[in-house]
Amino acid sequence: MVEPVGVYISVPFCKAKCTFCNFASGVFGAGRMQQYVERLGGEIRGVHAEAGRIGASLPRAVDTIYFGGGTPSLLSAQQFRRIFQELRSEFDLATDAEITLECAPGQLADETLDELLRQGMNRISFGVQSFMDQEAAAVGRLHTRAQCEAEITRASAAGVREINVDLIAGLPHQTEQSWQYSVRQAIASGVSHISVYLLEVDEDSRLGREMLEQGSRYSAMAVPDEDRAAEWYQQACDLLGAAGVQQYEISNFARPGHCSRHNLKYWRRQPYVGFGLDAHSMLLADEGAVRFANTSDLDRYLGEESPPNPFRLLEFERDATDGEVDIVGRSEAFEESLFLGLRLNEGVDLSVLRGQFGDGLLQDTMPALVEVRDAGLLELSSVRIRLTPKGRLVSNEVFSRLLIHAAA
Ligand code: SF4
């Protein structure tokens, strides 16, 4: 049976720009947003023909859709109707498909929510970041704690069963006490899923530049140091675990049976196709897999000759280098399976890895795995490998240690 594909739709519009963010998103007028939706439509249309052209397998069956951003909840009911029309003409959506909307609290109109519910949206991810008003305001979020709580209640009353709350450890003005307050509020809200991130400040963001220059306008001096944020992350793991919201990935926690099906596809290396600005895709092909990405330049995305599609845009991007779509080779696919799988608490099943890639690549990696295990960062048995709690805290270090060995 052909495995259904996951669909990602990027909506790079925000009502205000967060101080730490330099993501390809921005504040644009209604005209630009409408132009974008039309481009998206063109990109979705005809995508199967293009997949065939580069030898990638793009099933019609879709079982997850994820609207990410940016703040996709800013699109109108009519714009969502149009996107779903295009999706349904190009794909067969499973009746129980998981359909997620990323949403900034207070930025989802009633009419849009009603339309999305009609279209089958059943999961909302709220970018709360902190339940402390001072902390949210310091990074440019426009909501208050009271608004976040009201929004969760509203979504839940409207019948949205799956609700996620994003939290960030390490925000300006955050203290151990205020962090624990936010984690406890998220638990008390009864949502089924909580994501916990460490603050990542892009050095080209307003906060990033100010941290380098030691300024005070964006609260750079009030950003806690990384070690404290890492401690708070660990506290969140403990608090959430004790409340039955189990960690299943480095940044993700869910009540039993409520993991994000779409995001699991990324970590399990299952196929997904992305549409819109800076959207990435990975599809299976005869050679193994192909990966491609859209431009992150909005003018270029909107200005491409029609009809745009991810494959053409990628080739456009890569013409300057080698003019090829990125074919994932066998050893690269092995590394991806290993590193993505290690992000999950369940880790990597070695028999599955051997079944896909044979024993040779695993044996080559064994000395590095043993070294990382001896440092207390990895559990290694004859059937499975997984990060220890300490390993999850320094996962990037673990991955680079394994990569250095693989490259040697
Ligand atoms: S963090 Fe999210 S909401 Fe904030 S500016 Fe970046 S994309 Fe927009």
Side-chain angles (χ1 to χ4, degrees):
M1 203 186 81
V2 182
E3 195 177 350
V5 70
V7 170
Y8 177 80
I9 311 254
S10 157
V11 183
F13 304 114
C14 300
K15 208 164 177 182
K17 193 83 185 156
C18 300
T19 61
F20 56 83
C21 175
N22 192 36
F23 179 67
S25 68
V27 183
F28 293 99
R32 199 89 162 136
M33 285 162 73
Q34 183 56 30
Q35 207 186 344
Y36 186 81
V37 169
E38 276 155 28
R39 273 293 179 217
L40 264 181
E43 194 188 347
I44 295 167
R45 226 174 301 132
V47 69
H48 283 90
E50 287 301 323
R53 190 175 67 77
I54 61 161
S57 156
L58 178 57
R60 276 194 69 88
V62 164
D63 61 354
T64 66
I65 299 175
Y66 195 103
F67 290 93
T71 309
S73 56
L74 291 177
L75 294 184
S76 69
Q78 215 171 13
Q79 288 168 332
F80 274 114
R81 204 174 307 138
R82 168 82 195 277
I83 295 171
F84 273 99
Q85 234 168 32
E86 298 288 0
L87 285 172
R88 287 183 207 282
S89 70
E90 209 48 50
F91 296 100
D92 301 326
L93 269 51
T95 47
D96 67 342
E98 176 193 88
I99 303 179
T100 304
L101 175 78
E102 277 187 357
C103 178
Q107 296 179 29
L108 174 61
D110 285 341
E111 201 195 351
T112 307
L113 175 59
D114 290 346
E115 178 61 34
L116 282 163
L117 289 168
R118 270 195 294 278
Q119 297 290 351
M121 184 268 294
N122 44 26
R123 189 169 184 275
I124 293 188
S125 176
F126 285 112
V128 170
Q129 322 310 3
S130 169
F131 281 97
M132 298 294 290
D133 293 352
Q134 184 198 20
E135 294 168 17
V139 289
R141 307 296 288 185
L142 301 173
H143 55 253
T144 60
R145 175 188 58 81
Q147 252 175 328
C148 293
E149 289 170 357
E151 285 288 73
I152 292 168
T153 306
R154 171 182 171 231
S156 164
V160 181
R161 241 175 51 97
E162 305 292 340
I163 299 179
N164 171 61
V165 160
D166 280 347
L167 295 178
I168 297 182
L171 291 173
H173 305 295
Q174 208 163 44
T175 63
E176 180 171 326
Q177 203 186 12
S178 76
W179 169 246
Q180 291 192 6
Y181 174 80
S182 282
V183 176
R184 290 202 168 96
Q185 286 301 108
I187 295 168
S189 72
V191 295
S192 57
H193 194 287
I194 297 172
S195 300
V196 176
Y197 301 101
L198 290 173
L199 179 69
E200 276 184 38
V201 182
D202 190 294
E203 58 181 45
D204 278 327
S205 65
R206 286 170 295 164
L207 180 57
R209 284 195 296 272
E210 187 175 278
M211 283 171 81
L212 292 174
E213 291 157 12
Q214 308 268 301
S216 60
R217 182 156 176 216
Y218 300 113
S219 307
M221 307 298 273
V223 175
D225 70 46
E226 283 177 10
D227 289 347
R228 280 166 75 204
E231 253 173 57
W232 300 344
Y233 163 84
Q234 193 51 54
Q235 288 172 5
C237 295
D238 297 342
L239 286 169
L240 290 163
V245 189
Q246 296 298 339
Q247 184 175 32
Y248 68 100
E249 194 268 347
I250 290 172
S251 303
N252 288 283
F253 304 75
R255 297 185 193 274
H258 295 276
C259 299
S260 158
R261 284 163 52 197
H262 183 84
N263 288 338
L264 276 173
K265 282 185 189 286
Y266 300 139
W267 303 312
R268 291 183 173 156
R269 226 175 147 265
Q270 292 166 340
Y272 54 89
V273 62
F275 298 102
L277 194 72
D278 204 24
H280 289 239
S281 306
M282 200 276 292
L283 293 177
L284 302 180
D286 291 345
E287 295 296 313
V290 285
R291 209 175 15 210
F292 40 92
N294 277 353
T295 175
S296 58
D297 180 323
L298 184 61
D299 288 333
R300 182 184 278 183
Y301 179 75
L302 293 177
E304 268 279 306
E305 284 164 26
S306 61
N309 62 60
F311 311 107
R312 277 185 62 247
L313 288 171
L314 179 83
E315 287 173 339
F316 183 76
E317 279 280 273
R318 292 179 61 87
D319 268 344
T321 51
D322 56 12
E324 296 283 328
V325 278
D326 195 359
I327 308 279
V328 184
R330 199 163 150 272
S331 63
E332 204 183 338
F334 169 82
E335 278 166 20
E336 278 184 9
S337 297
L338 188 65
F339 296 153
L340 291 170
L342 281 176
R343 293 190 62 90
L344 293 167
N345 282 40
E346 67 187 20
V348 178
D349 182 328
L350 294 181
S351 64
V352 173
L353 210 56
R354 278 196 192 93
Q356 284 175 336
F357 303 102
D359 202 37
L361 288 168
L362 186 59
Q363 285 311 323
D364 292 348
T365 318
M366 208 39 92
L369 291 171
V370 169
E371 193 185 302
V372 177
R373 178 200 63 189
D374 292 348
L377 305 174
L378 191 83
E379 285 171 23
L380 174 60
S381 79
S382 57
V383 290
R384 185 169 287 279
I385 46 176
R386 45 186 240 134
L387 293 179
T388 59
K390 193 173 154 200
R392 279 194 280 278
L393 210 52
V394 291
S395 55
N396 285 342
E397 187 196 318
V398 174
F399 300 150
S400 55
R401 278 164 81 161
L402 295 176
L403 254 184
I404 289 165
H405 260 273

